[in-house]
């Protein structure tokens, strides 16, 4: 059985993006959580596992910066710079600073600062669909079904 969040609460939404795999030189599809509740000082966070998998180099850091939504401690492993992210075939953006976090539940988390820097907005529709509006383009978002 598939269950979404209650109607009075917007469910988490995800964006199909592409990041460069530095090992192969080819783009790799990455599902990113669009998280307007992420208020870290950088525009985004990437899991240390995904950063390593993609060969993304980062400046090592070691600090605990608080807790995630589920109460887990967040441990920063480093800071990556100037990562290019394809939001769609026609919209590519550069993320200046991205935190590399050990144990981040998703691979890539695009936070409130990311949305503000792009002047982007999330629209939820009565039919259950959602999209991200950025640079005049409406990019479809998907919802994570519980149990996936």
């Amino acid at each position: 059985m598939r269950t979404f969040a209650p109607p009075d609460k917007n469910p988490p939404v995800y964006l199909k993006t592409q990041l460069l795999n530095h090992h192969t030189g080819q783009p790799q599809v990455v599902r990113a959580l669009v998280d307007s509740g992420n208020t870290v000082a950088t525009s985004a966070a990437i899991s240390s596992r995904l950063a390593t998998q993609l060969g993304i180099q980062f400046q090592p850091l070691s600090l605990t910066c608080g807790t995630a939504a589920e109460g887990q401690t967040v441990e920063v492993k480093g800071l990556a710079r100037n990562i290019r992210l394809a939001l769609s075939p026609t919209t590519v953006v550069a993320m200046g600073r991205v935190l590399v976090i050990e144990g981040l539940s998703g691979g890539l988390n695009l936070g409130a600062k990311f949305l503000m820097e792009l002047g982007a907005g999330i629209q939820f529709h009565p039919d259950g669909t959602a999209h991200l509006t950025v640079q005049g383009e409406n990019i479809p978002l998907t919802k994570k079904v519980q149990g996936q």
Side-chain angles (χ1 to χ4, degrees), residues 15-20 27 30 84-89 91-93:
L15 176 64
K16 183 177 168 183
T17 66
Q18 290 189 351
L19 287 170
L20 179 65
V30 174
R84 293 180 56 80
L85 176 69
L87 302 176
S88 74
T91 304
V92 178
V93 297

Side-chain angles (χ1 to χ4, degrees), residues 50-62:
L50 181 59
T52 300
Q53 177 187 345
L54 296 175
I56 294 173
Q57 295 185 355
F58 56 89
Q59 174 187 355
L61 297 172
S62 183

Side-chain angles (χ1 to χ4, degrees), residues 19 43-45 80-85 93-98 108-110 114 117:
L19 287 170
S43 60
R81 296 182 185 275
N82 301 319
I83 296 176
R84 293 180 56 80
L85 176 69
V93 297
M95 298 184 294
R97 300 176 338 137
V98 178
L108 182 62
N109 184 307
L110 306 175
F114 174 85
E117 286 174 352

Side-chain angles (χ1 to χ4, degrees), residues 28-80:
Q28 181 172 324
V29 173
V30 174
R31 191 171 84 153
L33 172 64
V34 181
D35 184 2
S36 60
N38 168 346
T39 58
V40 296
T42 62
S43 60
I46 189 169
S47 72
S48 57
R49 182 182 55 77
L50 181 59
T52 300
Q53 177 187 345
L54 296 175
I56 294 173
Q57 295 185 355
F58 56 89
Q59 174 187 355
L61 297 172
S62 183
L63 58 110
T64 300
C65 67
T67 58
E70 296 174 1
Q72 298 171 307
T73 300
V74 175
E75 184 179 352
V76 176
K77 290 294 189 182
L79 182 67

Side-chain angles (χ1 to χ4, degrees), residues 10-25:
N10 291 328
V13 288
Y14 296 84
L15 176 64
K16 183 177 168 183
T17 66
Q18 290 189 351
L19 287 170
L20 179 65
N21 184 318
H22 294 270
H23 298 299
T24 66

